[in-house]
mmCIF file of all heavy atoms in Angstrom:
data_model
loop_
_atom_site.group_PDB
_atom_site.id
_atom_site.type_symbol
_atom_site.label_atom_id
_atom_site.label_comp_id
_atom_site.label_asym_id
_atom_site.label_seq_id
_atom_site.Cartn_x
_atom_site.Cartn_y
_atom_site.Cartn_z
ATOM 1 N N CYS A 6 -7.384 13.099 -5.345
ATOM 2 C CA CYS A 6 -6.519 12.505 -4.327
ATOM 3 C C CYS A 6 -7.172 12.673 -2.960
ATOM 4 O O CYS A 6 -7.651 13.752 -2.615
ATOM 5 C CB CYS A 6 -5.140 13.148 -4.343
ATOM 6 S SG CYS A 6 -4.255 12.808 -5.874
ATOM 7 N N LYS A 7 -7.155 11.587 -2.215
ATOM 8 C CA LYS A 7 -7.773 11.570 -0.890
ATOM 9 C C LYS A 7 -6.668 11.355 0.135
ATOM 10 O O LYS A 7 -5.971 10.333 0.100
ATOM 11 C CB LYS A 7 -8.809 10.444 -0.835
ATOM 12 C CG LYS A 7 -9.583 10.365 0.443
ATOM 13 C CD LYS A 7 -10.651 9.257 0.331
ATOM 14 C CE LYS A 7 -11.457 9.147 1.598
ATOM 15 N NZ LYS A 7 -12.478 8.090 1.491
ATOM 16 N N TYR A 8 -6.496 12.333 1.018
ATOM 17 C CA TYR A 8 -5.529 12.203 2.103
ATOM 18 C C TYR A 8 -6.233 11.532 3.281
ATOM 19 O O TYR A 8 -7.246 12.035 3.780
ATOM 20 C CB TYR A 8 -4.973 13.562 2.538
ATOM 21 C CG TYR A 8 -4.254 13.472 3.858
ATOM 22 C CD1 TYR A 8 -3.008 12.850 3.944
ATOM 23 C CD2 TYR A 8 -4.838 13.928 5.025
ATOM 24 C CE1 TYR A 8 -2.369 12.723 5.164
ATOM 25 C CE2 TYR A 8 -4.202 13.799 6.246
ATOM 26 C CZ TYR A 8 -2.966 13.192 6.303
ATOM 27 O OH TYR A 8 -2.348 13.047 7.509
ATOM 28 N N LEU A 9 -5.693 10.411 3.712
ATOM 29 C CA LEU A 9 -6.251 9.664 4.837
ATOM 30 C C LEU A 9 -5.336 9.815 6.048
ATOM 31 O O LEU A 9 -4.189 9.356 6.025
ATOM 32 C CB LEU A 9 -6.406 8.194 4.468
ATOM 33 C CG LEU A 9 -7.376 7.947 3.306
ATOM 34 C CD1 LEU A 9 -7.278 6.517 2.809
ATOM 35 C CD2 LEU A 9 -8.780 8.282 3.737
ATOM 36 N N PRO A 10 -5.816 10.467 7.094
ATOM 37 C CA PRO A 10 -5.000 10.636 8.301
ATOM 38 C C PRO A 10 -4.820 9.310 9.032
ATOM 39 O O PRO A 10 -5.514 8.330 8.741
ATOM 40 C CB PRO A 10 -5.797 11.648 9.126
ATOM 41 C CG PRO A 10 -7.190 11.542 8.644
ATOM 42 C CD PRO A 10 -7.131 11.093 7.218
ATOM 43 N N PRO A 11 -3.923 9.274 9.997
ATOM 44 C CA PRO A 11 -3.589 8.018 10.671
ATOM 45 C C PRO A 11 -4.660 7.500 11.636
ATOM 46 O O PRO A 11 -4.616 6.350 12.048
ATOM 47 C CB PRO A 11 -2.304 8.351 11.419
ATOM 48 C CG PRO A 11 -2.380 9.824 11.648
ATOM 49 C CD PRO A 11 -3.096 10.378 10.446
ATOM 50 N N ARG A 12 -5.624 8.353 11.994
ATOM 51 C CA ARG A 12 -6.675 7.929 12.922
ATOM 52 C C ARG A 12 -7.926 8.767 12.669
ATOM 53 O O ARG A 12 -7.836 9.897 12.188
ATOM 54 C CB ARG A 12 -6.209 8.034 14.375
ATOM 55 C CG ARG A 12 -5.689 9.382 14.778
ATOM 56 C CD ARG A 12 -4.939 9.380 16.117
ATOM 57 N NE ARG A 12 -4.436 10.708 16.399
ATOM 58 C CZ ARG A 12 -3.287 11.191 15.943
ATOM 59 N NH1 ARG A 12 -2.501 10.439 15.193
ATOM 60 N NH2 ARG A 12 -2.903 12.406 16.253
ATOM 61 N N SER A 13 -9.082 8.209 13.005
ATOM 62 C CA SER A 13 -10.349 8.862 12.667
ATOM 63 C C SER A 13 -10.556 10.186 13.400
ATOM 64 O O SER A 13 -11.219 11.079 12.889
ATOM 65 C CB SER A 13 -11.524 7.925 12.935
ATOM 66 O OG SER A 13 -11.589 7.588 14.305
ATOM 67 N N PHE A 15 -8.210 12.374 14.128
ATOM 68 C CA PHE A 15 -6.943 13.080 13.928
ATOM 69 C C PHE A 15 -7.051 14.584 14.139
ATOM 70 O O PHE A 15 -6.232 15.186 14.841
ATOM 71 C CB PHE A 15 -6.410 12.789 12.520
ATOM 72 C CG PHE A 15 -5.135 13.494 12.182
ATOM 73 C CD1 PHE A 15 -3.953 13.183 12.839
ATOM 74 C CD2 PHE A 15 -5.105 14.472 11.201
ATOM 75 C CE1 PHE A 15 -2.767 13.831 12.523
ATOM 76 C CE2 PHE A 15 -3.929 15.120 10.877
ATOM 77 C CZ PHE A 15 -2.759 14.801 11.539
ATOM 78 N N MET A 27 0.784 19.766 9.623
ATOM 79 C CA MET A 27 -0.456 20.090 8.917
ATOM 80 C C MET A 27 -0.401 21.509 8.359
ATOM 81 O O MET A 27 -0.908 21.768 7.263
ATOM 82 C CB MET A 27 -1.668 19.921 9.837
ATOM 83 C CG MET A 27 -2.114 18.482 9.989
ATOM 84 S SD MET A 27 -2.550 17.679 8.424
ATOM 85 C CE MET A 27 -4.132 18.453 8.093
ATOM 86 N N HIS A 30 1.632 21.174 5.354
ATOM 87 C CA HIS A 30 0.806 20.478 4.360
ATOM 88 C C HIS A 30 -0.058 21.488 3.611
ATOM 89 O O HIS A 30 -0.096 21.498 2.375
ATOM 90 C CB HIS A 30 -0.047 19.437 5.099
ATOM 91 C CG HIS A 30 -1.275 18.979 4.414
ATOM 92 N ND1 HIS A 30 -1.267 18.063 3.380
ATOM 93 C CD2 HIS A 30 -2.586 19.280 4.638
ATOM 94 C CE1 HIS A 30 -2.511 17.825 2.992
ATOM 95 N NE2 HIS A 30 -3.322 18.555 3.742
ATOM 96 N N ASP A 51 -16.256 14.304 7.548
ATOM 97 C CA ASP A 51 -17.051 13.078 7.578
ATOM 98 C C ASP A 51 -17.250 12.663 9.035
ATOM 99 O O ASP A 51 -16.282 12.586 9.790
ATOM 100 C CB ASP A 51 -16.297 11.995 6.812
ATOM 101 C CG ASP A 51 -17.048 10.699 6.657
ATOM 102 O OD1 ASP A 51 -17.861 10.351 7.541
ATOM 103 O OD2 ASP A 51 -16.814 10.006 5.659
ATOM 104 N N GLY A 54 -14.935 10.089 10.343
ATOM 105 C CA GLY A 54 -13.509 10.432 10.341
ATOM 106 C C GLY A 54 -13.190 11.332 9.168
ATOM 107 O O GLY A 54 -13.452 10.973 8.014
ATOM 108 N N GLY A 55 -12.647 12.486 9.441
ATOM 109 C CA GLY A 55 -12.339 13.451 8.394
ATOM 110 C C GLY A 55 -11.182 13.003 7.523
ATOM 111 O O GLY A 55 -10.390 12.135 7.889
ATOM 112 N N TYR A 56 -11.094 13.606 6.352
ATOM 113 C CA TYR A 56 -10.009 13.346 5.416
ATOM 114 C C TYR A 56 -9.874 14.560 4.512
ATOM 115 O O TYR A 56 -10.703 15.473 4.558
ATOM 116 C CB TYR A 56 -10.244 12.058 4.610
ATOM 117 C CG TYR A 56 -11.565 12.002 3.884
ATOM 118 C CD1 TYR A 56 -11.684 12.476 2.584
ATOM 119 C CD2 TYR A 56 -12.699 11.477 4.500
ATOM 120 C CE1 TYR A 56 -12.898 12.432 1.911
ATOM 121 C CE2 TYR A 56 -13.913 11.421 3.831
ATOM 122 C CZ TYR A 56 -14.004 11.899 2.538
ATOM 123 O OH TYR A 56 -15.205 11.851 1.884
ATOM 124 N N GLY A 57 -8.854 14.568 3.696
ATOM 125 C CA GLY A 57 -8.640 15.683 2.784
ATOM 126 C C GLY A 57 -8.829 15.253 1.346
ATOM 127 O O GLY A 57 -8.598 14.098 0.992
ATOM 128 N N VAL A 58 -9.252 16.198 0.507
ATOM 129 C CA VAL A 58 -9.441 15.941 -0.917
ATOM 130 C C VAL A 58 -8.727 17.023 -1.704
ATOM 131 O O VAL A 58 -8.763 18.206 -1.338
ATOM 132 C CB VAL A 58 -10.940 15.917 -1.276
ATOM 133 C CG1 VAL A 58 -11.148 15.920 -2.783
ATOM 134 C CG2 VAL A 58 -11.627 14.717 -0.660
ATOM 135 N N ILE A 78 3.227 16.359 5.411
ATOM 136 C CA ILE A 78 2.537 15.476 6.360
ATOM 137 C C ILE A 78 2.832 14.014 6.031
ATOM 138 O O ILE A 78 3.004 13.193 6.925
ATOM 139 C CB ILE A 78 1.013 15.803 6.406
ATOM 140 C CG1 ILE A 78 0.379 15.263 7.679
ATOM 141 C CG2 ILE A 78 0.270 15.314 5.201
ATOM 142 C CD1 ILE A 78 0.614 16.087 8.887
ATOM 143 N N VAL A 79 2.929 13.689 4.747
ATOM 144 C CA VAL A 79 3.248 12.322 4.322
ATOM 145 C C VAL A 79 4.728 12.028 4.576
ATOM 146 O O VAL A 79 5.078 10.946 5.061
ATOM 147 C CB VAL A 79 2.880 12.122 2.833
ATOM 148 C CG1 VAL A 79 3.364 10.777 2.314
ATOM 149 C CG2 VAL A 79 1.373 12.262 2.640
ATOM 150 N N GLY A 82 5.413 10.798 7.879
ATOM 151 C CA GLY A 82 4.804 9.530 8.248
ATOM 152 C C GLY A 82 3.428 9.622 8.873
ATOM 153 O O GLY A 82 3.013 8.716 9.603
ATOM 154 N N VAL A 83 2.704 10.706 8.591
ATOM 155 C CA VAL A 83 1.394 10.908 9.200
ATOM 156 C C VAL A 83 0.321 10.784 8.107
ATOM 157 O O VAL A 83 0.012 11.749 7.420
ATOM 158 C CB VAL A 83 1.309 12.282 9.896
ATOM 159 C CG1 VAL A 83 -0.033 12.451 10.576
ATOM 160 C CG2 VAL A 83 2.440 12.437 10.906
ATOM 161 N N GLY A 84 -0.210 9.595 7.937
ATOM 162 C CA GLY A 84 -1.244 9.357 6.940
ATOM 163 C C GLY A 84 -0.668 9.097 5.565
ATOM 164 O O GLY A 84 0.549 9.037 5.371
ATOM 165 N N HIS A 85 -1.585 8.941 4.608
ATOM 166 C CA HIS A 85 -1.186 8.641 3.233
ATOM 167 C C HIS A 85 -2.282 9.087 2.269
ATOM 168 O O HIS A 85 -3.378 9.446 2.685
ATOM 169 C CB HIS A 85 -0.915 7.146 3.068
ATOM 170 C CG HIS A 85 -2.143 6.299 3.227
ATOM 171 N ND1 HIS A 85 -2.671 5.952 4.453
ATOM 172 C CD2 HIS A 85 -2.981 5.766 2.306
ATOM 173 C CE1 HIS A 85 -3.761 5.228 4.280
ATOM 174 N NE2 HIS A 85 -3.978 5.096 2.990
ATOM 175 N N TYR A 86 -1.950 9.059 0.989
ATOM 176 C CA TYR A 86 -2.892 9.431 -0.062
ATOM 177 C C TYR A 86 -3.371 8.201 -0.820
ATOM 178 O O TYR A 86 -2.626 7.244 -1.021
ATOM 179 C CB TYR A 86 -2.216 10.343 -1.094
ATOM 180 C CG TYR A 86 -2.157 11.793 -0.705
ATOM 181 C CD1 TYR A 86 -1.040 12.315 -0.059
ATOM 182 C CD2 TYR A 86 -3.200 12.658 -1.010
ATOM 183 C CE1 TYR A 86 -0.974 13.653 0.270
ATOM 184 C CE2 TYR A 86 -3.142 13.999 -0.679
ATOM 185 C CZ TYR A 86 -2.020 14.486 -0.043
ATOM 186 O OH TYR A 86 -1.959 15.819 0.288
ATOM 187 N N GLU A 87 -4.620 8.268 -1.274
ATOM 188 C CA GLU A 87 -5.144 7.384 -2.302
ATOM 189 C C GLU A 87 -5.298 8.249 -3.547
ATOM 190 O O GLU A 87 -5.662 9.428 -3.450
ATOM 191 C CB GLU A 87 -6.503 6.808 -1.904
ATOM 192 C CG GLU A 87 -6.427 5.842 -0.747
ATOM 193 C CD GLU A 87 -7.791 5.281 -0.359
ATOM 194 O OE1 GLU A 87 -8.846 5.808 -0.825
ATOM 195 O OE2 GLU A 87 -7.810 4.322 0.424
ATOM 196 N N HIS A 88 -5.009 7.673 -4.716
ATOM 197 C CA HIS A 88 -5.041 8.414 -5.977
ATOM 198 C C HIS A 88 -6.077 7.787 -6.910
ATOM 199 O O HIS A 88 -6.061 6.575 -7.112
ATOM 200 C CB HIS A 88 -3.666 8.361 -6.656
ATOM 201 C CG HIS A 88 -2.549 8.747 -5.761
ATOM 202 N ND1 HIS A 88 -1.821 7.834 -5.037
ATOM 203 C CD2 HIS A 88 -2.043 9.966 -5.444
ATOM 204 C CE1 HIS A 88 -0.906 8.470 -4.319
ATOM 205 N NE2 HIS A 88 -1.022 9.762 -4.548
ATOM 206 N N PHE A 89 -6.936 8.620 -7.467
ATOM 207 C CA PHE A 89 -7.979 8.153 -8.377
ATOM 208 C C PHE A 89 -7.867 8.921 -9.687
ATOM 209 O O PHE A 89 -8.085 10.138 -9.718
ATOM 210 C CB PHE A 89 -9.367 8.357 -7.761
ATOM 211 C CG PHE A 89 -9.526 7.657 -6.436
ATOM 212 C CD1 PHE A 89 -9.304 8.344 -5.251
ATOM 213 C CD2 PHE A 89 -9.873 6.317 -6.372
ATOM 214 C CE1 PHE A 89 -9.442 7.713 -4.023
ATOM 215 C CE2 PHE A 89 -10.017 5.669 -5.154
ATOM 216 C CZ PHE A 89 -9.799 6.367 -3.984
#
Side-chain angles (χ1 to χ4, degrees):
C6 294
K7 184 176 180 180
Y8 166 72
L9 298 169
R12 54 193 178 275
S13 62
F15 178 67
M27 280 302 286
H30 158 78
D51 185 330
Y56 54 90
V58 169
I78 199 79
V79 173
V83 183
H85 66 280
Y86 278 94
E87 292 180 348
H88 309 93
F89 302 95

